[in-house]
Every structure is written in structure tokens, then in C-alpha cells.
């Protein structure tokens, strides 16, 4: 195939699947596309190294000029819909499975403080079946205390609530994810993009072979709206490749 010489406009829509390198081993599986709203690739930064004339008649003129690289190629990503593995990287977190089986807890000892929350031994508590009692086994009605069922916290609302010495409840059956955040985290990530060049309605591919990524934005749980994350890092060239990334424009008609 001969590369065309005519100029053309390029208007890309892309969806990127992604996977994580394991050291020097490329990903063997990829996640479904995340909703990347920015995949900004910057070629290596260069600066001019100029040889300036000091000779009469040409003082200050450039005798030679060579561009030399000062930084590697870089990538910056914005994303607002992603798999938990990418959320963990955003939060700088180790991610583990949350699994709690339903079980009854009988007469857990507690020392309430009026107006303050006191932690119980468990979280994710069933709303029904809570019984609070004094040390003399007198039941205290629920209008004298409050329970944070998710966080497992108890608050005495008045002096009567403060007489509670033990509480009986049921842990609920729960599954989920635990993110131990705030750690120094980075990852080698591969991006495999499939797209459409909208002007010609032809398919294209964009592959970022290996990006060293770390979160570059804050995690704000009270900002409202969708959780958004930003990542940035350098592009590397794996030993099996000849460039950090590649773009392929195809003769295959897009189906979109």
C-alpha cells in the first residue's frame, strides 16, 4: 500500500481498554474501556543547543543549532468511569475484598458518653433486633440512643441512654471493596485504543505500550458529582517495541 500524499483532516473518537504490567511482563488481560475524557500525549521535550559565533562580522549569529531532548514523552489522562483497579491507583490505595457474614453479637460491653459517638466492635449492623441494656439487665428504649448502622457507632442521647452497659445486635451479610488509601502508588499501564476517524469514517488503533502512571489529582469525597481522576507519567519503550506509542489509520470502514 502506498501512503497517500494528499492532506486530510483527522477527527478521532476512541475507546481505550487498559491493563497493568507485572514488572517486565506485558498485560495478558485488559479491562473494558474506561471513560477517558483526556488522553494527552506529549512528545519528548527538546531545547536548542546553539553554537554562537564570536567572530568579527558574524558575532551573535548561530553557527550551528542542535535540538537535544530534555524530558521523555509524557501522558496525561482524565477519567470518570473506571474499574476498581484504576480507582485504587487514583486513591493511592491497596484494594482488598470486603466480606462479612451475618452473625449475632450478644451483650457487647459499651461505655456511652452523652452526645458523642462511641465505636462498637463491628460495622454494617441490621436495623432490627438491637437491644440495649443496663448492667442490671434493664432494657433501654431506642428513643434514648442512636446507632450509626453503617459505621457501627453508638450515641447516648440523654442520661438514660448513658446507662446502657451492653448491646445486642446482628451483623449484616455484606460484600464490597476496601481501599486503604493515601499510599505512594504507581503502575505501568498499557492502553489499547480502538477508534473512528470521523471525517473518512475509517477505523483506527492507538496503542500506548507502557506508561508509568501515578495519580495527579486530589480525591474529594464531598465535592459532589461523578468521581473524577487524573493520572500523569512518562512513556516507556518496551524492548519488544521501537516507540512509546503507535497510531494506525486503516482502510477498514468504521461500523459506528
Amino acid at each position: 500500500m502506498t501512503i497517500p500524499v494528499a492532506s486530510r483532516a483527522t477527527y478521532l473518537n476512541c475507546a481505550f481498554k487498559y491493563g497493568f504490567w507485572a514488572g517486565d511482563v506485558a498485560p495478558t488481560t485488559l479491562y473494558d474501556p474506561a471513560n477517558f475524557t483526556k488522553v494527552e500525549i506529549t512528545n519528548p521535550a527538546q531545547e536548542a543547543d546553539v553554537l554562537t559565533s564570536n567572530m568579527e562580522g558574524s558575532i551573535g549569529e548561530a553557527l550551528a543549532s542542535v535540538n537535544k531532548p530534555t524530558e521523555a514523552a509524557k501522558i496525561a489522562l482524565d477519567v470518570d468511569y473506571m474499574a476498581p483497579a484504576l480507582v485504587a491507583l487514583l486513591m493511592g490505595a491497596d484494594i482488598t475484598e470486603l466480606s462479612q457474614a451475618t452473625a449475632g453479637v450478644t451483650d457487647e460491653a459499651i461505655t456511652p458518653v452523652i452526645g458523642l459517638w462511641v465505636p462498637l466492635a463491628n460495622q454494617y449492623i441490621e436495623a432490627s433486633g438491637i437491644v440495649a441494656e443496663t448492667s442490671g439487665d434493664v432494657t433501654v428504649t431506642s428513643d434514648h440512643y442512636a446507632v450509626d448502622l453503617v459505621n457501627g457507632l453508638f450515641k447516648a442521647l440523654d442520661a438514660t441512654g448513658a446507662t446502657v452497659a451492653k448491646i445486642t445486635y446482628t451483623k449484616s451479610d455484606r460484600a464490597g471493596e476496601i481501599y486503604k488509601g493515601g499510599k505512594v502508588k504507581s503502575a505501568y499501564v498499557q492502553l489499547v485504543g480502538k477508534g473512528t476517524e470521523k471525517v473518512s469514517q475509517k477505523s483506527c488503533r492507538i496503542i500506548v505500550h507502557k506508561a508509568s502512571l501515578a495519580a495527579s489529582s486530589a480525591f474529594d469525597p464531598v465535592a459532589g458529582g461523578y468521581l473524577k481522576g487524573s493520572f500523569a507519567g512518562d512513556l516507556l519503550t518496551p524492548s519488544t517495541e521501537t516507540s512509546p506509542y503507535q497510531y494506525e489509520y486503516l482502510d477498514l470502514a468504521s461500523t459506528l
Side-chain angles (χ1 to χ4, degrees), residues 35-82:
N35 190 44
F36 291 107
T37 56
K38 180 173 81 171
V39 178
E40 183 180 81
I41 299 171
T42 304
N43 288 332
Q46 301 179 64
E47 66 179 24
D49 193 348
V50 182
L51 177 62
T52 305
S53 172
N54 195 42
M55 299 178 290
E56 181 184 10
S58 62
I59 290 178
E61 297 176 11
L63 298 176
S65 180
V66 176
N67 283 325
K68 60 181 181 181
T70 58
E71 293 182 347
K74 295 185 178 299
I75 190 169
L77 309 167
D78 288 342
V79 60
D80 55 16
Y81 182 86
M82 64 201 107

Side-chain angles (χ1 to χ4, degrees), residues 194-216:
K194 175 185 177 297
T196 296
E197 196 291 293
K198 298 293 288 183
V199 176
S200 63
Q201 286 296 306
K202 300 295 186 181
S203 294
C204 65
R205 297 179 70 228
I206 301 177
I207 301 96
V208 176
H209 300 298
K210 191 175 187 180
S212 178
L213 294 183
S216 58

Side-chain angles (χ1 to χ4, degrees), residues 102-251:
T102 185
V105 177
T106 303
D107 292 345
E108 180 182 319
I110 187 172
T111 304
V113 178
I114 298 175
L116 297 177
W117 294 98
V118 176
L120 301 173
N122 299 282
Q123 296 80 46
Y124 309 113
I125 295 169
E126 296 283 359
S128 60
I130 298 175
V131 178
E133 297 177 305
T134 68
S135 58
D137 297 333
V138 177
T139 299
V140 178
T141 57
S142 59
D143 56 323
H144 296 290
Y145 63 85
V147 178
D148 181 335
L149 300 173
V150 172
N151 289 306
L153 301 171
F154 179 95
K155 180 170 72 172
L157 301 177
D158 51 31
T160 301
T163 64
V164 173
K166 53 189 176 181
I167 183 170
T168 295
Y169 58 87
T170 301
K171 299 189 297 179
S172 60
D173 192 10
R174 288 289 174 265
E177 302 137 20
I178 299 173
Y179 296 83
K180 297 284 190 178
K183 302 171 72 67
V184 177
K185 291 289 183 180
S186 63
Y188 292 124
V189 178
Q190 183 182 85
L191 301 172
V192 178
K194 175 185 177 297
T196 296
E197 196 291 293
K198 298 293 288 183
V199 176
S200 63
Q201 286 296 306
K202 300 295 186 181
S203 294
C204 65
R205 297 179 70 228
I206 301 177
I207 301 96
V208 176
H209 300 298
K210 191 175 187 180
S212 178
L213 294 183
S216 58
S217 62
F219 172 71
D220 188 345
V222 299
Y226 297 106
L227 176 65
K228 297 180 180 179
S230 296
F231 302 90
D234 296 322
L235 298 186
L236 293 81
T237 303
S239 60
T240 55
E241 304 294 339
T242 58
S243 66
Y245 76 95
Q246 67 190 59
Y247 165 62
E248 301 176 8
Y249 175 78
L250 309 175
D251 62 354

